[in-house]
Amino acid sequence: MAELNETTFWISGIINGEYRECDGPYITTKDMSDKGYPYVLKTPNANFTHQRYDYTAHEWVDTSSEALLHTVEDIQNTVTELKSNSQSNTQSKDELDKKLDKLTTLVTMSNVQTGKLMQEVQDLKKQAQPATQTTETTQTTTTADEGGNK
């Protein structure tokens, strides 16, 4: 006769309209590996007095009042820390805004100076162009006269 394999499991969740946190252990000869929610094959944590199974993290979670109190304390500490960080970030943001304003002013002033320098360069080019054109005209005239004499 074939030997029957026993499987131990717990129930954590809603079954038959009733919520069960960590109900069991139960023993069956059926294969439970493909069952899933609300059946749990993983042995509960012996250190927890009240627990439920977290199907996302695949672990037992302590739900005792002490654990919940620690969770609330952790959340309060995190909120306090976030508020503190938020205030220091606000101060840092103000300092960064001031630096950005100064930088924007410097860039604007630099652009104005560059514009003035470009205008001066263009004015100098305009002043230099008539002298160059006069020299070229004189050379062309001389060449034409020389060609007529030959």
Side-chain angles (χ1 to χ4, degrees):
M1 183 166 198
E3 188 176 321
L4 297 175
N5 291 326
E6 290 184 344
T7 303
T8 303
F9 69 95
W10 290 260
I11 296 174
S12 182
I14 299 173
I15 188 165
N16 298 328
E18 201 178 312
Y19 178 74
R20 300 183 189 180
E21 226 176 40
C22 178
D23 190 18
Y26 293 99
I27 298 174
T28 184
T29 56
K30 293 182 180 180
D31 179 19
M32 298 294 288
S33 60
D34 63 342
K35 290 294 182 194
Y37 180 87
Y39 304 103
V40 181
L41 299 177
K42 187 173 184 178
T43 305
N45 188 325
N47 297 323
F48 299 159
T49 55
H50 296 285
Q51 56 194 312
R52 67 171 176 76
Y53 192 73
D54 183 338
Y55 290 91
T56 304
H58 303 290
E59 63 184 16
W60 288 97
V61 177
D62 191 356
T63 59
S64 67
S65 57
E66 295 86 21
L68 294 175
L69 179 62
H70 290 299
T71 302
V72 168
E73 288 172 351
D74 289 345
I75 290 171
Q76 286 175 333
N77 290 336
T78 303
V79 167
T80 302
E81 185 179 321
L82 288 172
K83 283 181 180 179
S84 174
N85 288 343
S86 175
Q87 288 172 350
S88 67
N89 284 341
T90 300
Q91 291 170 354
S92 297
K93 184 181 179 297
D94 291 342
E95 290 173 16
L96 287 173
D97 284 346
K98 288 178 184 177
K99 288 180 181 178
L100 186 58
D101 287 344
K102 285 182 181 178
L103 183 60
T104 303
T105 302
L106 289 172
V107 168
T108 303
M109 290 171 57
S110 173
N111 287 342
V112 169
Q113 292 298 324
T114 303
K116 287 180 181 178
L117 288 173
M118 291 299 292
Q119 185 62 46
E120 288 179 17
V121 167
Q122 287 177 353
D123 291 344
L124 288 172
K125 280 184 177 179
K126 286 179 184 176
Q127 289 175 0
Q129 280 180 348
T132 305
Q133 288 176 349
T134 304
T135 306
E136 288 176 9
T137 306
T138 306
Q139 288 175 354
T140 304
T141 306
T142 307
T143 307
D145 292 338
E146 289 174 5
N149 290 337
K150 288 185 183 181

